[in-house]
Amino acid sequence: MSSADPQVETVVDLDAIAHNVRVLAGHAGDAAVMVVVKADGYNHGAVRVGQAALAAGASELGVTTIAEALRLRAGGITAPILSWLNTSDADYAAAIAADIEIGVSSVAHLRAVERAARATGTTATVSLKVDTGLNRNGVSDAEYPQVLTVLRGLVDERVVRLRAIFSHLARADEPQHPAIDVQRDRFLDAIAAAKDHGMQPELVHLANSAATLTRPDLAFDMVRPGIAAYGLSPIPEISDFGLRPAMTFRARVTLVKHVAAGEGVSYGHEWIAPHATTVALIPAGYADGVFRPLGGRIAVGIGDALYPNIGRVCMDQLVVDLGDNAAGVREGDSAVLFGPGALHPQRWADLLGTIHYEIVCSPRGRVVRRYLGDIAQRGGA
Ligand SMILES: *Cc1c(COP(=O)(O)O)cnc(C)c1O
């Protein structure tokens, strides 16, 4: 690393993203692939991930908010984009103007889209999100007949075009769980009910990463993976499915020093040197996404070796024990917090009682993002 490198960074391998999208497309069969790039591409960078995914064979992108969708358009992405989590006072006119497909979950959402479409004189592209048992986002059973009636009128008037009907699974990471089949059956019923109302969606989709990789029977017209595109297995206890983690979280050693036997290290002196040793200071702390409860429980990769973190994780820094520092670790060396060559994000997740989704979403604040890979080179990174 050169002196121009940031002290703490995430490095995102866009070739890994492309590889993962090809793996997912292989499982999807004839179905198209929408890669989910919400939350700034699971904190990998939505625009660059989106470009890499589309170049690797994905045909659409999915996000939660309209603001996220507009940022993709501003980044030059012209592929179809679906946005599915917005309040009724969201800027639907902006979404329609940018040709964003709007997911609706209620009559109120649909009426808001209608007002924007009439005001702008442009047909809005809508996808109906139906709640089949997650009981979160999506049209409820109770409201569904009314939504279909209102939608039918708007489709007839060409105020709205019905692109898709879709839903989301609650227990896809338990591939044999009967709840999945209950949701599939309700999904099929919802599609049939739309047909009874004289409407035929252009496509239907249900599968997230876990279902894409384990339930090919649920691929329908399109799959909608997120986490697997970033190289993390949605069901780590079953398999890694040949996915390649795209994110490396790393920092540069800022100081190497000797610590005498009996000296305490970091706040509270929770670690006392049992003998004279050498320590390295890593400029990443809980403000950067290194969770404080990890203190004393993780290891950091420097060169070919893993060195244990000692003492508390602070806001801006943590300390690792180099022992006699036989490898000659020096200021400026790269120290990998998680990623290839060091701990897997799943290890952090296990230590924290969470899932790796939350781990890759955590680097923030001072952390600078950088891109790697042939796609990144061609993109001018
Ligand atoms: C986040 C999300 C996905 C992707 O889920 P993964 O488990 O990351 O594959 C798909 N569909 C919807 C509606 C989502 O909210």
Side-chain angles (χ1 to χ4, degrees):
M1 294 181 121
S2 76
S3 59
D5 287 327
Q7 292 202 148
V8 54
E9 64 179 1
T10 51
V11 182
V12 174
D13 181 352
L14 295 175
D15 289 349
I17 301 277
H19 164 82
N20 300 328
V21 169
R22 288 190 292 267
V23 168
L24 288 159
H27 283 270
D30 293 337
V33 178
M34 167 187 283
V35 170
V36 178
V37 295
K38 63 191 179 190
D40 200 16
Y42 292 42
N43 201 30
H44 292 64
V47 171
R48 298 299 296 273
V49 167
Q51 289 165 338
L54 293 165
S59 49
E60 313 202 6
L61 300 177
V63 293
T64 51
T65 67
I66 289 170
E68 288 179 312
L70 294 175
R71 276 196 289 276
L72 293 173
R73 285 281 182 258
I77 289 176
T78 56
I81 300 171
L82 169 63
S83 159
W84 61 69
L85 188 63
N86 295 286
T87 46
S88 298
D89 59 359
D91 193 352
Y92 291 113
I96 294 167
D99 195 20
I100 307 298
E101 181 182 331
I102 304 163
V104 296
S105 289
S106 69
V107 172
H109 291 162
L110 191 52
R111 289 295 189 199
V113 175
E114 174 194 1
R115 283 192 295 279
R118 292 193 193 282
T120 57
T122 309
T123 301
T125 303
V126 158
S127 281
L128 208 50
K129 187 165 191 200
V130 291
D131 187 351
T132 54
L134 180 57
N135 288 300
R136 206 180 62 172
N137 197 16
V139 183
S140 67
D141 257 11
E143 215 186 349
Y144 195 53
Q146 196 194 345
V147 166
L148 289 177
T149 302
V150 173
L151 184 62
R152 173 66 201 264
L154 296 174
V155 167
D156 286 350
E157 273 194 83
R158 297 193 197 289
V159 172
V160 158
R161 158 186 166 220
L162 175 60
R163 175 101 199 287
I165 295 179
F166 72 113
S167 190
H168 195 37
L169 296 167
R171 311 187 71 156
D173 54 350
E174 304 164 78
Q176 307 313 323
H177 199 283
I180 298 176
D181 299 310
V182 169
Q183 286 199 263
R184 177 203 54 207
D185 293 346
R186 291 179 182 170
F187 187 52
L188 293 172
D189 288 347
I191 297 162
K195 283 185 186 148
D196 291 344
H197 279 72
M199 287 179 292
Q200 176 75 51
E202 294 164 24
L203 72 168
V204 300
H205 47 100
L206 178 65
N208 60 1
S209 294
T212 301
L213 293 166
T214 62
R215 292 291 303 258
D217 58 312
L218 302 181
F220 292 100
D221 301 308
M222 187 162 75
V223 295
R224 219 172 50 235
I227 196 72
Y230 305 94
L232 299 175
S233 171
I235 321 178
E237 52 282 14
I238 290 187
S239 173
D240 68 8
F241 300 98
L243 301 166
R244 278 167 42 194
M247 180 186 287
T248 301
F249 185 21
R250 69 180 185 183
R252 286 193 301 147
V253 172
T254 48
L255 194 65
V256 174
K257 62 165 62 164
H258 294 288
V259 171
E263 288 288 312
V265 171
S266 194
Y267 289 132
H269 284 175
E270 278 180 17
W271 190 86
I272 309 280
H275 44 70
T277 190
T278 306
V279 301
L281 191 58
I282 312 298
Y286 57 78
D288 305 289
V290 185
F291 299 83
R292 191 170 175 279
L294 293 173
R297 304 165 80 191
I298 52 172
V300 169
I302 307 176
D304 295 329
L306 278 178
Y307 298 97
N309 167 222
I310 50 174
R312 287 189 192 156
V313 171
C314 311
M315 184 183 291
D316 317 303
Q317 48 197 298
L318 58 86
V319 180
V320 296
D321 184 13
L322 302 175
D324 62 4
N325 195 15
V329 171
R330 291 186 306 172
E331 178 178 334
D333 285 355
S334 171
V336 179
L337 293 152
F338 66 69
L343 296 194
H344 192 283
Q346 181 63 42
R347 178 83 186 118
W348 281 32
D350 290 342
L351 288 167
L352 292 164
T354 185
I355 53 177
H356 51 44
Y357 291 69
E358 187 179 5
I359 302 302
V360 292
C361 282
S362 297
R364 64 183 177 274
R366 285 171 290 225
V367 182
V368 174
R369 189 186 297 126
R370 189 158 63 83
Y371 295 96
L372 273 188
D374 288 345
I375 290 178
Q377 302 312 318
R378 286 201 297 276

PDB file of all heavy atoms in Angstrom, residues 278-310:
ATOM      1  N   THR A 278       5.476  -7.339  21.428  1.00  0.00           N
ATOM      2  CA  THR A 278       5.362  -6.247  20.464  1.00  0.00           C
ATOM      3  C   THR A 278       3.914  -6.168  20.029  1.00  0.00           C
ATOM      4  O   THR A 278       3.271  -7.209  19.809  1.00  0.00           O
ATOM      5  CB  THR A 278       6.250  -6.527  19.230  1.00  0.00           C
ATOM      6  OG1 THR A 278       7.570  -6.786  19.682  1.00  0.00           O
ATOM      7  CG2 THR A 278       6.249  -5.357  18.267  1.00  0.00           C
ATOM      8  N   VAL A 279       3.378  -4.969  19.925  1.00  0.00           N
ATOM      9  CA  VAL A 279       1.988  -4.815  19.506  1.00  0.00           C
ATOM     10  C   VAL A 279       1.912  -3.900  18.286  1.00  0.00           C
ATOM     11  O   VAL A 279       2.817  -3.086  18.043  1.00  0.00           O
ATOM     12  CB  VAL A 279       1.096  -4.247  20.636  1.00  0.00           C
ATOM     13  CG1 VAL A 279       1.129  -5.162  21.854  1.00  0.00           C
ATOM     14  CG2 VAL A 279       1.487  -2.824  20.988  1.00  0.00           C
ATOM     15  N   ALA A 280       0.835  -4.068  17.533  1.00  0.00           N
ATOM     16  CA  ALA A 280       0.578  -3.168  16.399  1.00  0.00           C
ATOM     17  C   ALA A 280      -0.762  -2.488  16.622  1.00  0.00           C
ATOM     18  O   ALA A 280      -1.717  -3.108  17.092  1.00  0.00           O
ATOM     19  CB  ALA A 280       0.556  -3.958  15.089  1.00  0.00           C
ATOM     20  N   LEU A 281      -0.800  -1.212  16.274  1.00  0.00           N
ATOM     21  CA  LEU A 281      -2.009  -0.419  16.405  1.00  0.00           C
ATOM     22  C   LEU A 281      -2.717  -0.383  15.049  1.00  0.00           C
ATOM     23  O   LEU A 281      -2.105  -0.043  14.029  1.00  0.00           O
ATOM     24  CB  LEU A 281      -1.609   0.987  16.849  1.00  0.00           C
ATOM     25  CG  LEU A 281      -2.704   1.930  17.300  1.00  0.00           C
ATOM     26  CD1 LEU A 281      -3.468   1.330  18.476  1.00  0.00           C
ATOM     27  CD2 LEU A 281      -2.062   3.249  17.711  1.00  0.00           C
ATOM     28  N   ILE A 282      -4.002  -0.770  15.054  1.00  0.00           N
ATOM     29  CA  ILE A 282      -4.805  -0.807  13.821  1.00  0.00           C
ATOM     30  C   ILE A 282      -5.832   0.323  13.907  1.00  0.00           C
ATOM     31  O   ILE A 282      -6.643   0.335  14.847  1.00  0.00           O
ATOM     32  CB  ILE A 282      -5.552  -2.163  13.686  1.00  0.00           C
ATOM     33  CG1 ILE A 282      -4.614  -3.353  13.946  1.00  0.00           C
ATOM     34  CG2 ILE A 282      -6.254  -2.256  12.345  1.00  0.00           C
ATOM     35  CD1 ILE A 282      -3.456  -3.482  12.991  1.00  0.00           C
ATOM     36  N   PRO A 283      -5.831   1.256  12.973  1.00  0.00           N
ATOM     37  CA  PRO A 283      -6.696   2.435  13.102  1.00  0.00           C
ATOM     38  C   PRO A 283      -8.125   2.190  12.647  1.00  0.00           C
ATOM     39  O   PRO A 283      -8.642   2.864  11.735  1.00  0.00           O
ATOM     40  CB  PRO A 283      -5.989   3.468  12.225  1.00  0.00           C
ATOM     41  CG  PRO A 283      -5.394   2.640  11.133  1.00  0.00           C
ATOM     42  CD  PRO A 283      -4.984   1.330  11.775  1.00  0.00           C
ATOM     43  N   ALA A 284      -8.778   1.221  13.267  1.00  0.00           N
ATOM     44  CA  ALA A 284     -10.182   0.933  12.972  1.00  0.00           C
ATOM     45  C   ALA A 284     -10.858   0.573  14.270  1.00  0.00           C
ATOM     46  O   ALA A 284     -10.336  -0.256  15.036  1.00  0.00           O
ATOM     47  CB  ALA A 284     -10.302  -0.221  11.979  1.00  0.00           C
ATOM     48  N   GLY A 285     -11.990   1.187  14.538  1.00  0.00           N
ATOM     49  CA  GLY A 285     -12.684   0.922  15.790  1.00  0.00           C
ATOM     50  C   GLY A 285     -14.179   0.843  15.577  1.00  0.00           C
ATOM     51  O   GLY A 285     -14.647   0.692  14.444  1.00  0.00           O
ATOM     52  N   TYR A 286     -14.917   0.982  16.677  1.00  0.00           N
ATOM     53  CA  TYR A 286     -16.370   0.778  16.527  1.00  0.00           C
ATOM     54  C   TYR A 286     -17.018   1.862  15.690  1.00  0.00           C
ATOM     55  O   TYR A 286     -18.053   1.623  15.083  1.00  0.00           O
ATOM     56  CB  TYR A 286     -17.065   0.561  17.870  1.00  0.00           C
ATOM     57  CG  TYR A 286     -16.914   1.635  18.916  1.00  0.00           C
ATOM     58  CD1 TYR A 286     -17.655   2.806  18.846  1.00  0.00           C
ATOM     59  CD2 TYR A 286     -16.068   1.449  20.002  1.00  0.00           C
ATOM     60  CE1 TYR A 286     -17.531   3.783  19.826  1.00  0.00           C
ATOM     61  CE2 TYR A 286     -15.937   2.412  20.984  1.00  0.00           C
ATOM     62  CZ  TYR A 286     -16.676   3.589  20.892  1.00  0.00           C
ATOM     63  OH  TYR A 286     -16.556   4.546  21.857  1.00  0.00           O
ATOM     64  N   ALA A 287     -16.409   3.041  15.591  1.00  0.00           N
ATOM     65  CA  ALA A 287     -16.982   4.072  14.712  1.00  0.00           C
ATOM     66  C   ALA A 287     -16.825   3.694  13.240  1.00  0.00           C
ATOM     67  O   ALA A 287     -17.509   4.244  12.373  1.00  0.00           O
ATOM     68  CB  ALA A 287     -16.316   5.426  14.961  1.00  0.00           C
ATOM     69  N   ASP A 288     -15.931   2.763  12.971  1.00  0.00           N
ATOM     70  CA  ASP A 288     -15.696   2.314  11.587  1.00  0.00           C
ATOM     71  C   ASP A 288     -16.442   1.017  11.280  1.00  0.00           C
ATOM     72  O   ASP A 288     -16.377   0.533  10.143  1.00  0.00           O
ATOM     73  CB  ASP A 288     -14.192   2.083  11.373  1.00  0.00           C
ATOM     74  CG  ASP A 288     -13.375   3.311  11.723  1.00  0.00           C
ATOM     75  OD1 ASP A 288     -13.453   4.296  10.971  1.00  0.00           O
ATOM     76  OD2 ASP A 288     -12.677   3.302  12.761  1.00  0.00           O
ATOM     77  N   GLY A 289     -17.077   0.431  12.284  1.00  0.00           N
ATOM     78  CA  GLY A 289     -17.808  -0.821  12.054  1.00  0.00           C
ATOM     79  C   GLY A 289     -17.152  -2.050  12.650  1.00  0.00           C
ATOM     80  O   GLY A 289     -17.561  -3.167  12.363  1.00  0.00           O
ATOM     81  N   VAL A 290     -16.125  -1.845  13.490  1.00  0.00           N
ATOM     82  CA  VAL A 290     -15.563  -2.981  14.250  1.00  0.00           C
ATOM     83  C   VAL A 290     -16.288  -2.996  15.596  1.00  0.00           C
ATOM     84  O   VAL A 290     -15.969  -2.227  16.497  1.00  0.00           O
ATOM     85  CB  VAL A 290     -14.044  -2.844  14.475  1.00  0.00           C
ATOM     86  CG1 VAL A 290     -13.509  -4.109  15.142  1.00  0.00           C
ATOM     87  CG2 VAL A 290     -13.319  -2.578  13.162  1.00  0.00           C
ATOM     88  N   PHE A 291     -17.274  -3.856  15.696  1.00  0.00           N
ATOM     89  CA  PHE A 291     -18.154  -3.863  16.870  1.00  0.00           C
ATOM     90  C   PHE A 291     -17.342  -4.036  18.161  1.00  0.00           C
ATOM     91  O   PHE A 291     -16.482  -4.908  18.260  1.00  0.00           O
ATOM     92  CB  PHE A 291     -19.154  -5.009  16.767  1.00  0.00           C
ATOM     93  CG  PHE A 291     -20.071  -4.929  15.578  1.00  0.00           C
ATOM     94  CD1 PHE A 291     -19.662  -5.384  14.324  1.00  0.00           C
ATOM     95  CD2 PHE A 291     -21.355  -4.403  15.701  1.00  0.00           C
ATOM     96  CE1 PHE A 291     -20.514  -5.321  13.228  1.00  0.00           C
ATOM     97  CE2 PHE A 291     -22.204  -4.340  14.615  1.00  0.00           C
ATOM     98  CZ  PHE A 291     -21.786  -4.794  13.372  1.00  0.00           C
ATOM     99  N   ARG A 292     -17.669  -3.215  19.155  1.00  0.00           N
ATOM    100  CA  ARG A 292     -16.918  -3.259  20.411  1.00  0.00           C
ATOM    101  C   ARG A 292     -16.948  -4.625  21.099  1.00  0.00           C
ATOM    102  O   ARG A 292     -15.941  -5.041  21.686  1.00  0.00           O
ATOM    103  CB  ARG A 292     -17.445  -2.152  21.325  1.00  0.00           C
ATOM    104  CG  ARG A 292     -16.593  -1.894  22.549  1.00  0.00           C
ATOM    105  CD  ARG A 292     -17.073  -0.622  23.242  1.00  0.00           C
ATOM    106  NE  ARG A 292     -16.348  -0.400  24.490  1.00  0.00           N
ATOM    107  CZ  ARG A 292     -16.628  -0.993  25.629  1.00  0.00           C
ATOM    108  NH1 ARG A 292     -17.628  -1.858  25.692  1.00  0.00           N
ATOM    109  NH2 ARG A 292     -15.933  -0.730  26.714  1.00  0.00           N
ATOM    110  N   PRO A 293     -18.076  -5.358  21.050  1.00  0.00           N
ATOM    111  CA  PRO A 293     -18.076  -6.685  21.702  1.00  0.00           C
ATOM    112  C   PRO A 293     -17.092  -7.689  21.087  1.00  0.00           C
ATOM    113  O   PRO A 293     -16.907  -8.778  21.624  1.00  0.00           O
ATOM    114  CB  PRO A 293     -19.524  -7.169  21.524  1.00  0.00           C
ATOM    115  CG  PRO A 293     -20.322  -5.929  21.314  1.00  0.00           C
ATOM    116  CD  PRO A 293     -19.411  -4.989  20.583  1.00  0.00           C
ATOM    117  N   LEU A 294     -16.473  -7.338  19.951  1.00  0.00           N
ATOM    118  CA  LEU A 294     -15.477  -8.238  19.353  1.00  0.00           C
ATOM    119  C   LEU A 294     -14.132  -8.143  20.064  1.00  0.00           C
ATOM    120  O   LEU A 294     -13.230  -8.955  19.799  1.00  0.00           O
ATOM    121  CB  LEU A 294     -15.288  -7.914  17.864  1.00  0.00           C
ATOM    122  CG  LEU A 294     -16.484  -8.205  16.949  1.00  0.00           C
ATOM    123  CD1 LEU A 294     -16.224  -7.680  15.549  1.00  0.00           C
ATOM    124  CD2 LEU A 294     -16.762  -9.711  16.916  1.00  0.00           C
ATOM    125  N   GLY A 295     -13.974  -7.176  20.971  1.00  0.00           N
ATOM    126  CA  GLY A 295     -12.684  -6.938  21.628  1.00  0.00           C
ATOM    127  C   GLY A 295     -12.110  -8.210  22.245  1.00  0.00           C
ATOM    128  O   GLY A 295     -12.785  -8.895  23.004  1.00  0.00           O
ATOM    129  N   GLY A 296     -10.887  -8.528  21.883  1.00  0.00           N
ATOM    130  CA  GLY A 296     -10.221  -9.710  22.426  1.00  0.00           C
ATOM    131  C   GLY A 296     -10.679 -11.024  21.812  1.00  0.00           C
ATOM    132  O   GLY A 296     -10.265 -12.091  22.264  1.00  0.00           O
ATOM    133  N   ARG A 297     -11.535 -10.976  20.794  1.00  0.00           N
ATOM    134  CA  ARG A 297     -12.102 -12.220  20.256  1.00  0.00           C
ATOM    135  C   ARG A 297     -11.799 -12.422  18.774  1.00  0.00           C
ATOM    136  O   ARG A 297     -12.080 -13.487  18.230  1.00  0.00           O
ATOM    137  CB  ARG A 297     -13.621 -12.210  20.474  1.00  0.00           C
ATOM    138  CG  ARG A 297     -13.974 -12.009  21.937  1.00  0.00           C
ATOM    139  CD  ARG A 297     -15.432 -11.638  22.122  1.00  0.00           C
ATOM    140  NE  ARG A 297     -16.296 -12.806  22.057  1.00  0.00           N
ATOM    141  CZ  ARG A 297     -17.623 -12.738  21.972  1.00  0.00           C
ATOM    142  NH1 ARG A 297     -18.227 -11.573  21.912  1.00  0.00           N
ATOM    143  NH2 ARG A 297     -18.330 -13.844  21.924  1.00  0.00           N
ATOM    144  N   ILE A 298     -11.294 -11.397  18.094  1.00  0.00           N
ATOM    145  CA  ILE A 298     -11.000 -11.543  16.667  1.00  0.00           C
ATOM    146  C   ILE A 298      -9.487 -11.600  16.447  1.00  0.00           C
ATOM    147  O   ILE A 298      -8.703 -11.410  17.374  1.00  0.00           O
ATOM    148  CB  ILE A 298     -11.604 -10.385  15.829  1.00  0.00           C
ATOM    149  CG1 ILE A 298     -11.185  -9.020  16.399  1.00  0.00           C
ATOM    150  CG2 ILE A 298     -13.118 -10.533  15.742  1.00  0.00           C
ATOM    151  CD1 ILE A 298     -11.578  -7.838  15.511  1.00  0.00           C
ATOM    152  N   ALA A 299      -9.129 -11.870  15.208  1.00  0.00           N
ATOM    153  CA  ALA A 299      -7.726 -11.813  14.809  1.00  0.00           C
ATOM    154  C   ALA A 299      -7.662 -11.059  13.497  1.00  0.00           C
ATOM    155  O   ALA A 299      -8.634 -11.014  12.736  1.00  0.00           O
ATOM    156  CB  ALA A 299      -7.166 -13.223  14.653  1.00  0.00           C
ATOM    157  N   VAL A 300      -6.500 -10.457  13.248  1.00  0.00           N
ATOM    158  CA  VAL A 300      -6.324  -9.597  12.087  1.00  0.00           C
ATOM    159  C   VAL A 300      -5.207 -10.194  11.227  1.00  0.00           C
ATOM    160  O   VAL A 300      -4.184 -10.639  11.765  1.00  0.00           O
ATOM    161  CB  VAL A 300      -5.966  -8.171  12.575  1.00  0.00           C
ATOM    162  CG1 VAL A 300      -5.499  -7.285  11.438  1.00  0.00           C
ATOM    163  CG2 VAL A 300      -7.173  -7.545  13.299  1.00  0.00           C
ATOM    164  N   GLY A 301      -5.424 -10.217   9.919  1.00  0.00           N
ATOM    165  CA  GLY A 301      -4.433 -10.791   9.011  1.00  0.00           C
ATOM    166  C   GLY A 301      -3.417  -9.760   8.542  1.00  0.00           C
ATOM    167  O   GLY A 301      -3.773  -8.762   7.921  1.00  0.00           O
ATOM    168  N   ILE A 302      -2.142  -9.994   8.888  1.00  0.00           N
ATOM    169  CA  ILE A 302      -1.070  -9.114   8.409  1.00  0.00           C
ATOM    170  C   ILE A 302      -0.037 -10.023   7.753  1.00  0.00           C
ATOM    171  O   ILE A 302       0.445 -10.968   8.384  1.00  0.00           O
ATOM    172  CB  ILE A 302      -0.420  -8.306   9.556  1.00  0.00           C
ATOM    173  CG1 ILE A 302      -1.492  -7.555  10.359  1.00  0.00           C
ATOM    174  CG2 ILE A 302       0.618  -7.323   9.002  1.00  0.00           C
ATOM    175  CD1 ILE A 302      -0.950  -6.808  11.586  1.00  0.00           C
ATOM    176  N   GLY A 303       0.285  -9.745   6.502  1.00  0.00           N
ATOM    177  CA  GLY A 303       1.136 -10.678   5.765  1.00  0.00           C
ATOM    178  C   GLY A 303       0.428 -12.020   5.697  1.00  0.00           C
ATOM    179  O   GLY A 303      -0.765 -12.086   5.413  1.00  0.00           O
ATOM    180  N   ASP A 304       1.154 -13.087   6.009  1.00  0.00           N
ATOM    181  CA  ASP A 304       0.551 -14.419   5.952  1.00  0.00           C
ATOM    182  C   ASP A 304       0.019 -14.893   7.295  1.00  0.00           C
ATOM    183  O   ASP A 304      -0.437 -16.031   7.410  1.00  0.00           O
ATOM    184  CB  ASP A 304       1.595 -15.447   5.464  1.00  0.00           C
ATOM    185  CG  ASP A 304       2.029 -15.161   4.038  1.00  0.00           C
ATOM    186  OD1 ASP A 304       1.196 -14.637   3.281  1.00  0.00           O
ATOM    187  OD2 ASP A 304       3.199 -15.450   3.717  1.00  0.00           O
ATOM    188  N   ALA A 305       0.115 -14.059   8.330  1.00  0.00           N
ATOM    189  CA  ALA A 305      -0.227 -14.525   9.675  1.00  0.00           C
ATOM    190  C   ALA A 305      -1.468 -13.827  10.223  1.00  0.00           C
ATOM    191  O   ALA A 305      -1.823 -12.730   9.794  1.00  0.00           O
ATOM    192  CB  ALA A 305       0.955 -14.294  10.614  1.00  0.00           C
ATOM    193  N   LEU A 306      -2.109 -14.490  11.173  1.00  0.00           N
ATOM    194  CA  LEU A 306      -3.233 -13.911  11.903  1.00  0.00           C
ATOM    195  C   LEU A 306      -2.748 -13.545  13.295  1.00  0.00           C
ATOM    196  O   LEU A 306      -2.141 -14.368  13.981  1.00  0.00           O
ATOM    197  CB  LEU A 306      -4.365 -14.938  12.032  1.00  0.00           C
ATOM    198  CG  LEU A 306      -5.328 -15.121  10.855  1.00  0.00           C
ATOM    199  CD1 LEU A 306      -6.326 -16.230  11.198  1.00  0.00           C
ATOM    200  CD2 LEU A 306      -6.074 -13.830  10.532  1.00  0.00           C
ATOM    201  N   TYR A 307      -3.037 -12.318  13.721  1.00  0.00           N
ATOM    202  CA  TYR A 307      -2.607 -11.854  15.037  1.00  0.00           C
ATOM    203  C   TYR A 307      -3.833 -11.527  15.885  1.00  0.00           C
ATOM    204  O   TYR A 307      -4.746 -10.842  15.416  1.00  0.00           O
ATOM    205  CB  TYR A 307      -1.726 -10.608  14.909  1.00  0.00           C
ATOM    206  CG  TYR A 307      -0.450 -10.871  14.133  1.00  0.00           C
ATOM    207  CD1 TYR A 307      -0.365 -10.559  12.780  1.00  0.00           C
ATOM    208  CD2 TYR A 307       0.647 -11.447  14.761  1.00  0.00           C
ATOM    209  CE1 TYR A 307       0.808 -10.813  12.062  1.00  0.00           C
ATOM    210  CE2 TYR A 307       1.816 -11.707  14.054  1.00  0.00           C
ATOM    211  CZ  TYR A 307       1.889 -11.378  12.704  1.00  0.00           C
ATOM    212  OH  TYR A 307       3.037 -11.639  12.012  1.00  0.00           O
ATOM    213  N   PRO A 308      -3.838 -11.992  17.152  1.00  0.00           N
ATOM    214  CA  PRO A 308      -5.020 -11.766  17.994  1.00  0.00           C
ATOM    215  C   PRO A 308      -5.160 -10.311  18.429  1.00  0.00           C
ATOM    216  O   PRO A 308      -4.173  -9.655  18.772  1.00  0.00           O
ATOM    217  CB  PRO A 308      -4.754 -12.673  19.204  1.00  0.00           C
ATOM    218  CG  PRO A 308      -3.269 -12.815  19.263  1.00  0.00           C
ATOM    219  CD  PRO A 308      -2.778 -12.754  17.842  1.00  0.00           C
ATOM    220  N   ASN A 309      -6.391  -9.858  18.399  1.00  0.00           N
ATOM    221  CA  ASN A 309      -6.718  -8.561  18.993  1.00  0.00           C
ATOM    222  C   ASN A 309      -6.634  -8.706  20.510  1.00  0.00           C
ATOM    223  O   ASN A 309      -7.085  -9.696  21.070  1.00  0.00           O
ATOM    224  CB  ASN A 309      -8.129  -8.168  18.539  1.00  0.00           C
ATOM    225  CG  ASN A 309      -8.718  -6.994  19.316  1.00  0.00           C
ATOM    226  OD1 ASN A 309      -9.892  -7.033  19.669  1.00  0.00           O
ATOM    227  ND2 ASN A 309      -7.938  -5.963  19.573  1.00  0.00           N
ATOM    228  N   ILE A 310      -6.027  -7.716  21.164  1.00  0.00           N
ATOM    229  CA  ILE A 310      -5.922  -7.749  22.622  1.00  0.00           C
ATOM    230  C   ILE A 310      -6.563  -6.495  23.190  1.00  0.00           C
ATOM    231  O   ILE A 310      -6.454  -5.410  22.624  1.00  0.00           O
ATOM    232  CB  ILE A 310      -4.456  -7.864  23.083  1.00  0.00           C
ATOM    233  CG1 ILE A 310      -3.588  -6.808  22.383  1.00  0.00           C
ATOM    234  CG2 ILE A 310      -3.921  -9.269  22.828  1.00  0.00           C
ATOM    235  CD1 ILE A 310      -2.153  -6.757  22.878  1.00  0.00           C
TER     236      ILE A 310
END
